[in-house]
Amino acid sequence: MMTYIVFILSVIFVVSFVGFSSKPSPIYGGLVLIVSGGVGCGIIMNFGGSFLGLMVFLIYLGGMLVVFGYTTAMATEQYPEVWVSNTTVMGVFLLGLLMEVMLVLYVLKSEEVGVAFKFSGVGDWAIYDTGDSGVFSEEIMGVAALYSYGAWVVIVTGWSLLVGVLVVLEVTRGD
Amino acid sequence: MNPLIFTTILMTVLLGTMIVMMSSHWLMIWIGFEMNLLAIIPILMKKYNPRTMEASTKYFLTQATASMLLMMAIIINLMHSGQWTITKVFNPTASIIMTSALAMKLGLTPFHFWVPEVTQGISLTSGLILLTWQKLAPMSILYQISPSINLNILLTMAVLSILVGGWGGLNQTQLRKIMAYSSIAHMGWMTAVLAYNPTLTMLNMLIYIMMTLTMFMLFIHSSSTTTLSLSHTWNKTPLTTTLILITLLSMGGLPPLSGFMPKWMIIQELTKNNSIILPTLMAIMALLNLYFYMRLTYSTSLTMFPSTNNMKMKWQFETKRITFLPPLIVMSSLLLPLTPMLSILD
């Protein structure tokens, strides 16, 4: 099972994305986001990225999602919508589940059948090594490279985040 | 809006387009598009009424979908070629998806439905930025991937855009919708020649931006957003009336004016590549465009449009000072003799 752990985790990842894309109330969307964040962290860790997985838990789940949860709790309504309370929401959720099940069967059962992509079995999702080449771990080197060779990326993404805050404040300010 | 914030957001729009045009890594290009989209939303929403908010929402939804399609095409390209640099796109699927994404960003048919509605809902200055500056970034990417675009899809979209741009503009009296349909048609002309000679796409883009800039400046100067209010300019500034005439005829592509230059070059380039029916069809469909421009000139400059007697005098507000209007007008009407200088664009 450990060779297919990434595949299983990615299926749970997609199912939880379907869970919040079918738009229940934001509280339940946040709940499913926690699950998907944890599972995503598991996927990254299986490729040897322990630092990045920790980042997901700390910053994404422990910072951003907590703030989101508090603001949603302030703005919540008396009877929030669950997946089974509204026919539309349940319908979209079941549709998403059905599509994921069909995709999984397509990946597992058929050898080399191509529609737009050639799925040759489970392929990239099965891990056979950890990706450590030599003495240094690849992933920490990647993070270090972000701040040396990728300084322009850091500047651009930092500026985008600042402008994102300004834009959101400007749009919600009203007159 | 606070002037400092407004300046920052406007500079971010510029920065986003610059990043798209300057990058060699697909991810940076995507980041540039997203930065551009994010920063232009408050500019579209400068006045807070429900119409601008609806227009900004529509713009955001369509452009975000296009960015997602672009990201998917980038990842498929990465899967098949293993590298992130921008050369040609190595996989036909990725190329088709990328062309569709960029067509959605430009407003080519069949993804043109957002252009008139968004342009109508926002103020004239925001519409100006939307229809000129926002076209630069997707067009630069199309230019860079032009060797690998599927020709059938590109030419179909181009011809249909010219048709829709001409036909859709026929029933309009609102000036912003007319400019939107004119933008759709011009984008069609630009993408038609993209696979044959991309330099002409750049030439057409340059002249289109100058002419659209001029038209919008003239509209802003006379504060008019409908044909009826434009037809009163003869009373307030008669010179503007003549300039509207000249610029509109230039946009329609009539010979002694500079709008003829890109159409002439494009038709010549297409016939050099042995396609005769296509440029004939395109030229015939450009007549639809010319018809509604001429209807505007007829009601504005050539006749006194019927209105009640107390509407004939426009209230004399303080004249807005429009920067660069005279040079723009000159450039959008008198550039035709400079056609041999085309070789500097190469």
Side-chain angles (χ1 to χ4, degrees), chain A residues 2-174:
Chain A
M2 275 312 278
T3 41
Y4 296 108
I5 189 71
V6 175
F7 185 63
I8 296 172
L9 286 179
S10 69
V11 170
I12 304 177
F13 193 61
V14 174
V15 165
S16 43
F17 265 59
V18 168
F20 70 73
S21 311
S22 54
K23 281 185 272 291
S25 155
I27 294 279
Y28 294 106
L31 179 68
V32 168
L33 265 180
I34 295 177
V35 172
S36 75
V39 166
C41 163
I43 296 176
I44 304 176
M45 284 211 197
N46 274 305
F47 283 105
S50 45
F51 177 66
L52 290 174
L54 199 61
M55 280 300 112
V56 167
F57 260 109
L58 273 178
I59 310 295
Y60 182 66
L61 294 185
M64 299 198 279
L65 211 59
V66 163
V67 172
F68 174 72
Y70 274 117
T71 52
T72 319
M74 283 203 301
T76 191
E77 51 202 10
Q78 198 181 12
Y79 295 106
E81 242 176 55
V82 202
W83 291 279
V84 295
S85 67
N86 188 2
T87 323
T88 314
V89 175
M90 188 160 76
V92 173
F93 183 58
L94 290 178
L95 179 69
L97 270 184
L98 179 71
M99 286 178 68
E100 173 64 12
V101 164
M102 283 175 53
L103 188 70
V104 166
L105 287 175
Y106 175 55
V107 168
L108 286 180
K109 294 290 183 197
S110 55
E111 252 72 62
E112 294 282 346
V113 176
V115 173
F117 309 91
K118 285 199 167 39
F119 274 133
S120 50
V122 179
D124 272 333
W125 284 295
I127 38 167
Y128 298 109
D129 61 40
T130 56
D132 275 343
S133 52
V135 186
F136 303 106
S137 148
E138 264 182 7
E139 161 242 3
I140 299 284
M141 286 297 115
V143 173
L146 178 67
Y147 289 99
S148 60
Y149 300 114
W152 176 238
V153 178
V154 173
I155 295 173
V156 166
T157 43
W159 182 254
S160 306
L161 288 173
L162 174 67
V163 169
V165 169
L166 289 179
V167 162
V168 167
L169 287 177
E170 191 55 51
V171 164
T172 53
R173 187 168 61 152

Side-chain angles (χ1 to χ4, degrees), chain B residues 216-231:
Chain B
F216 266 102
M217 296 294 194
L218 287 168
F219 292 156
I220 292 173
H221 179 76
S222 54
S223 307
S224 50
T225 54
T226 61
T227 311
L228 182 61
S229 90
L230 191 68
S231 64

